[in-house]
Amino acid sequence: MTLLLLLVFTQIASAQADWTFMVYLDGDNSLETAAIYDFLEMAKVGSDANVNIIVQFDRIAGYSSIYDNWESTKRFCIFSNSTPVTTDAGYIS
């Protein structure tokens, strides 16, 4: 799974960064809202030429309706001001 995630990210990255941080946000429970805020906190900084921030994010059905209320696992490259929606430029799959 990690290799696949790195291969997918490599296709959307314009330059290779020195560091890649991969985060799994398990919001498939009562901590979904906290996971969303963690995502937004990482987006305050975002990826840059030296650091890639990749997030795999899982949510629970019907818990929170903010940011599209999707239920399956999604992957994002976090850029500055990214949001956890599938229309965001950082959405991978």
Side-chain angles (χ1 to χ4, degrees), residues 23-79:
V23 178
Y24 175 62
L25 289 175
D26 184 7
D28 198 359
N29 51 50
S30 63
L31 296 174
E32 179 180 335
T33 303
I36 291 170
Y37 289 122
D38 288 343
F39 183 106
L40 297 173
E41 189 170 16
M42 288 183 271
K44 288 181 181 177
V45 177
S47 300
D48 61 26
N50 299 311
V51 178
N52 296 319
I53 304 171
I54 306 297
V55 172
Q56 182 163 303
F57 191 177
D58 191 19
R59 294 176 67 173
I60 193 168
Y63 188 80
S64 176
S65 62
I66 59 176
Y67 296 106
D68 290 346
N69 194 28
W70 41 266
E71 304 169 8
S72 60
T73 303
K74 307 285 185 198
R75 292 182 195 96
F76 299 86
C77 176
I78 305 294
F79 297 111

Side-chain angles (χ1 to χ4, degrees), residues 3 11-12 14-16 22 24 27 33 39 47 60 73 75 80 86-87 90:
L3 179 59
Q11 293 175 357
I12 67 167
S14 59
Q16 186 174 359
M22 296 190 307
Y24 175 62
T33 303
F39 183 106
S47 300
I60 193 168
T73 303
R75 292 182 195 96
S80 181
T86 58
T87 56

